[in-house]
């Protein structure tokens, strides 16, 4: 049982370390650097007629740290709050609401729209990539590779805009105006069929953007990886044994070629959650991305900080899952951690 | 001179001119054909597109008048006067595009070079020092790779607004290097264990000599490719930053399209040109960069080439 325990302990230690790092960076950016926004904000409050003490009290109340103390003790206080799960209160977006509360629902919507799309994009990419590798040099390969290169190089926000424009506005395939938000306005959230259908209808377009944005990269990576595997001796040996092409493709080539991609999967999780900032803005989808966009526009520092930390946690969890998955998919790595 | 075809009519002196032109054309043709063969159609298309874009934005800046607002011509469809239509304040979309191209390319090139420089430095440092330094480099790269960098970049860029292209490029570079650094490190590691490098080491040649004469030429292609890839990343990031108004530039394509987006151009078919023109331009630029880097990859990597 020891290896598993060490494995989990190591993964946890890494997660904690990264979280601490990101938390420190955000603290540094928001509170500690010269000309930091909290100082600026307190000055602005004084400009609106508050006394220095009142401004400081308000800042202390919302940030949950004493802004008069030394930076070190502010840092300690901030970290203690984090450990308690207290991210401070929103300053401007909805003054006084705990950031944690705002994040919960938003994060759920983002994950609901991103996660399935990410998996679908990954699977399609694996399929197209191995297809292209098998047909190397043919028109199919060229079509798949160049198409992937094109979508891969397009920022997701542009894909979103093109999708809304053509599918929603020019061809009018979907009623894009009524598909804003996460569910229709008349529907009550809850475990009802209406709500589920409405949420599904609203999630399709943003999800499609995530699929389109991620599928190209996977296809190219899978093609490269499969080309490498196809040259390996065991594939030639399998052919020599007279195994069917299908068996070779599924059990030999795909099985080995997808391995290096699994680690990339976790990284892409972070990329897509980041990309959701822009996509959610286009579809007016109430996820963390839109929350960040609002916070950026109104300069709500505690919310910004909360979004950064929440996305970090999401990415870390995804990484941990991908690592575990990798160990499961590739038996060779299991023995590596003695 | 072998080019004796063409308008050869007996008069030697009269024929010299057309003959020369023919020869030149033929040599240029042969040269181009060689490069088309080596780079492939995609590579030529990409490279040609890049040259076209840079030339157009470099020259066009001086040839075209600065775009004027014109209340008479708000959101016009393409016409002879305005080949790409006009935007929400009556400015000519084509003029805006040509002027914005320079900002776009400048930022992409500066950020790309900075990003590539950091990536090459970090990657080579890890690969060639080995041991503890390498472990630190790898861990640092991995951490920076996993972090949601774009979100962080947005927050930092909004908290500490930058005012110059170079500062913005530096910011983008700091957030963009880890993926490339990992690639460079892997390449350097595999080069380090090649036979000719081992041989040079056995001959006890100086490290600086090995680096400069053996490794730099071998790694140069990857640096070129990684710089191009860094540019695509920089464009990617600056489009995102522009979408939130965090880019200090005026005519940048990202700024143009987000301005059009904010004017709700998406839902007004008549306004679509001011939105789609910059979008198409960004996509074209990205596609050219990607095609170029992909064809260079095939050109430099014998393993990929041999299968053809």
């Amino acid at each position: 049982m020891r290896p598993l325990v060490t494995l989990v302990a190591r993964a946890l230690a890494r997660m904690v370390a990264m979280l601490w790092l990101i938390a420190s960076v955000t603290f540094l950016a928001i509170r500690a650097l010269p000309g930091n926004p909290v100082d600026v904000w307190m000055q602005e409050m004084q400009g609106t007629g508050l006394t220095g003490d009142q401004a400081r009290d308000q800042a202390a109340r919302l940030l949950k740290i004493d802004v008069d103390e030394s930076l070190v003790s502010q840092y300690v206080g901030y970290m203690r709050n984090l450990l308690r799960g207290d991210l401070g209160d929103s300053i401007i977006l909805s003054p006084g609401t705990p950031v944690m509360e705002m994040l919960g629902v938003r994060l759920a919507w983002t994950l609901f729209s991103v996660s399935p799309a990410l998996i679908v994009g990954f699977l399609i990419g694996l399929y197209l990539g191995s297809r292209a590798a098998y047909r190397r040099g043919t028109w199919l390969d060229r079509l798949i590779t160049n198409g992937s290169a094109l979508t891969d190089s397009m920022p997701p926000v542009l894909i979103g805009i093109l999708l809304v424009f053509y599918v929603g506005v020019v061809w009018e395939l979907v009623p894009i105006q009524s598909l804003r938000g996460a569910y229709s306005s008349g529907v009550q959230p809850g475990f009802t069929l209406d709500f589920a259908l409405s949420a599904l209808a609203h999630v399709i377009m943003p999800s499609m953007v995530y699929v389109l944005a991620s599928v190209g990269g996977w296809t190219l990576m899978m093609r490269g990886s499969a080309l490498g595997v196809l040259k390996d001796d065991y594939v030639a040996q399998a052919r020599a044994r007279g195994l069917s092409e299908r068996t070779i493709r599924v059990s030999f080539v795909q099985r080995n070629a997808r391995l290096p991609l699994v680690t990339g999967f976790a990284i892409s999780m972070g990329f897509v959650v980041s990309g959701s900032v822009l996509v959610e803005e286009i579809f007016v989808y109430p996820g963390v991305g839109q929350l960040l966009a609002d916070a950026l526009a109104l300069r709500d520092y505690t919310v910004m900080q909360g979004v950064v930390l929440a996305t970090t946690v999401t990415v870390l969890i995804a990484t941990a899952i991908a690592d575990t998955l990798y160990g499961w998919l590739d038996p060779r790595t299991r023995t590596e951690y003695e | 001179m072998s080019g004796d075809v063409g308008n050869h009519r007996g008069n030697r002196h009269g024929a010299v001119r057309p003959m020369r032109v023919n020869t030149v054309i033929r040599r240029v043709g042969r040269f181009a054909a060689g490069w088309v063969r080596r780079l492939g159609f995609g590579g030529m298309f990409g490279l040609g597109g890049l040259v076209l874009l840079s030339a157009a934005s470099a020259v066009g800046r001086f040839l075209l008048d600065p775009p004027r607002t014109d209340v008479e011509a708000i959101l016009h469809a393409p016409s002879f006067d305005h080949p790409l239509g006009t935007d929400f304040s009556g400015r000519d979309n084509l003029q805006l595009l040509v002027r914005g191209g320079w900002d776009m390319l400048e930022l992409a090139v500066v950020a790309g070079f900075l990003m590539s420089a950091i990536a090459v430095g970090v990657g080579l440092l890890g690969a060639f020092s080995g041991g503890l330094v390498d472990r630190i480099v790898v861990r640092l790269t991995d951490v920076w790779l996993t972090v949601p960098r774009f979100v962080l970049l947005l927050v930092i860029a909004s908290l500490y607004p930058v005012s110059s292209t170079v500062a913005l490029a530096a910011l983008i570079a700091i957030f963009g290097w880890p993926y490339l650094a990992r690639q460079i490190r892997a390449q350097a590691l595999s080069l380090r264990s090649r036979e000719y490098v081992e041989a040079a080491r056995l001959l006890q040649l100086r490290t600086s000599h090995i680096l400069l004469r053996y490794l730099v030429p071998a790694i140069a292609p990857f640096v070129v490719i990684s710089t191009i890839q860094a540019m695509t990343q920089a464009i990617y990031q600056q489009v995102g930053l522009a979408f939130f108004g965090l880019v200090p530039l005026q005519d940048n394509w990202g700024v143009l399209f987000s301005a059009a987006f904010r004017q709700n151009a998406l839902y007004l078919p008549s306004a679509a040109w001011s939105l789609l023109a910059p979008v198409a331009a960004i996509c074209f630029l990205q596609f050219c960069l990607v095609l170029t880097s992909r064809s260079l990859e095939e050109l430099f990597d014998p393993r990929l080439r041999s299968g053809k």
Side-chain angles (χ1 to χ4, degrees), chain A residues 22 29 33 136 145 150 153-154 156 161 164-165 169 177 180 220 271 277-278 281 293 296 299 308 315 319, chain B residues 143 145-148 150 152 156 158-160 236 243-244 257 266-267 272 276 283 286-287 290 294 303-304:
Chain A
I22 294 303
L33 290 182
R136 171 162 197 180
T145 332
L150 182 65
S153 58
M154 269 162 78
I161 281 182
V164 169
F165 185 70
V169 180
Q177 298 275 15
R180 293 171 167 217
L220 294 177
F271 148 78
V277 181
L278 301 162
E281 183 73 353
L296 285 173
R299 307 181 72 76
V308 170
V315 174
T319 319
Chain B
V143 167
L145 198 60
T146 330
V147 159
F150 184 62
L152 221 77
I156 301 282
S158 91
L159 294 184
Y160 298 92
Y236 213 99
F243 194 67
F244 289 110
F257 109 81
L266 197 51
Y267 301 103
L276 293 184
C283 292
Q286 287 287 65
F287 194 49
V290 170
R294 286 175 55 79
R303 206 189 63 155
L304 284 170

Side-chain angles (χ1 to χ4, degrees), chain A residues 4 7 11 98 103 125 128 136 185-186 193 217 223 225 255 304 329:
Chain A
L4 188 69
L7 212 72
L103 277 173
L128 288 179
R136 171 162 197 180
S185 51
L193 186 65
R223 178 178 177 271
S225 181
R255 194 160 175 217
M304 282 186 213
L329 285 172

Side-chain angles (χ1 to χ4, degrees), chain A residues 55-313:
Chain A
R56 225 171 294 136
D57 282 347
Q58 179 151 9
R61 195 157 47 80
L62 293 175
L63 294 173
K64 303 277 173 71
I65 46 176
D66 193 344
V67 287
D68 274 342
E69 286 178 57
S70 72
L71 277 179
V72 176
S73 57
Q74 283 186 42
Y75 179 67
V76 171
Y78 164 74
M79 283 294 170
R80 196 180 295 140
N81 285 342
L82 277 193
L83 283 180
R84 272 197 237 115
D86 187 350
L87 298 173
D89 293 346
S90 166
I91 298 175
I92 300 158
L93 272 178
S94 72
T97 317
V99 172
M100 203 64 171
E101 216 170 87
M102 299 171 79
L103 277 173
V105 189
R106 300 290 195 130
L107 198 60
W109 282 121
T110 296
L111 290 179
F112 174 62
S113 66
V114 168
S115 314
L118 208 61
I119 293 167
V120 170
F122 186 67
L123 294 178
I124 297 178
L126 291 190
Y127 175 74
L128 288 179
S130 65
R131 252 309 156 61
Y134 256 80
R135 302 279 165 89
R136 171 162 197 180
T138 61
W139 64 269
L140 185 74
D141 177 28
R142 245 171 255 137
L143 182 75
I144 291 178
T145 332
N146 286 328
S148 308
L150 182 65
T151 53
D152 187 39
S153 58
M154 269 162 78
V157 59
L158 299 188
I159 298 180
I161 281 182
L162 288 178
L163 208 65
V164 169
F165 185 70
Y166 282 106
V167 177
V169 180
V170 178
W171 302 330
E172 293 178 347
L173 295 178
V174 292
I176 196 73
Q177 298 275 15
S178 66
L179 281 185
R180 293 171 167 217
Y183 48 88
S184 305
S185 51
V187 184
Q188 282 297 315
F191 289 100
T192 58
L193 186 65
D194 274 355
F195 177 65
L197 285 179
S198 175
L200 268 181
H202 284 252
V203 87
I204 285 175
M205 289 285 277
S207 290
M208 234 152 87
V209 176
Y210 300 128
V211 171
L212 282 174
S214 61
V215 78
W218 294 125
T219 306
L220 294 177
M221 277 169 83
M222 182 62 182
R223 178 178 177 271
S225 181
L227 280 179
V229 172
L230 275 172
K231 286 208 184 73
D232 275 333
D233 293 339
Y234 55 78
V235 175
Q237 192 255 4
R239 285 224 172 89
R241 269 161 64 200
L243 297 181
S244 73
E245 262 318 298
R246 209 188 110 78
T247 314
I248 295 175
R249 191 169 67 225
V250 175
S251 314
F252 286 72
V253 179
Q254 285 186 357
R255 194 160 175 217
N256 284 292
R258 75 189 168 202
L259 282 178
L261 276 74
V262 174
T263 33
F265 190 66
I267 294 167
S268 85
M269 186 75 196
F271 148 78
V272 175
V273 171
S274 301
S276 73
V277 181
L278 301 162
V279 175
E280 283 173 4
E281 183 73 353
I282 293 174
F283 291 100
V284 203
Y285 199 80
V288 256
Q290 212 197 26
L291 187 64
L292 179 65
D294 294 344
L296 285 173
L298 295 174
R299 307 181 72 76
D300 194 331
Y301 312 116
T302 43
V303 175
M304 282 186 213
Q305 181 178 288
V307 172
V308 170
L309 290 173
T311 31
T312 311
V313 171

Side-chain angles (χ1 to χ4, degrees), chain B residues 140-187:
Chain B
L140 202 77
T141 314
D142 276 353
V143 167
W144 205 217
L145 198 60
T146 330
V147 159
R149 279 167 292 142
F150 184 62
V151 172
L152 221 77
L153 174 66
L154 283 180
V155 169
I156 301 282
S158 91
L159 294 184
Y160 298 92
V162 286
S163 50
S164 74
T165 307
V166 177
L168 186 66
L171 197 64
I172 290 176
I174 290 170
F175 280 87
W177 60 267
Y179 187 65
L180 293 174
R182 201 150 94 159
Q183 284 181 337
I184 294 274
R185 179 180 164 276
Q187 290 294 350

Side-chain angles (χ1 to χ4, degrees), chain A residues 5-36:
Chain A
V5 173
T6 359
L7 212 72
V8 171
R10 235 183 250 183
L12 275 177
R14 199 187 308 144
M15 279 176 72
V16 171
M18 298 241 324
L19 209 55
W20 168 76
L21 188 84
I22 294 303
S24 303
V25 169
T26 44
F27 176 81
L28 201 71
I30 290 183
R31 188 66 199 101
L33 290 182
N36 72 71

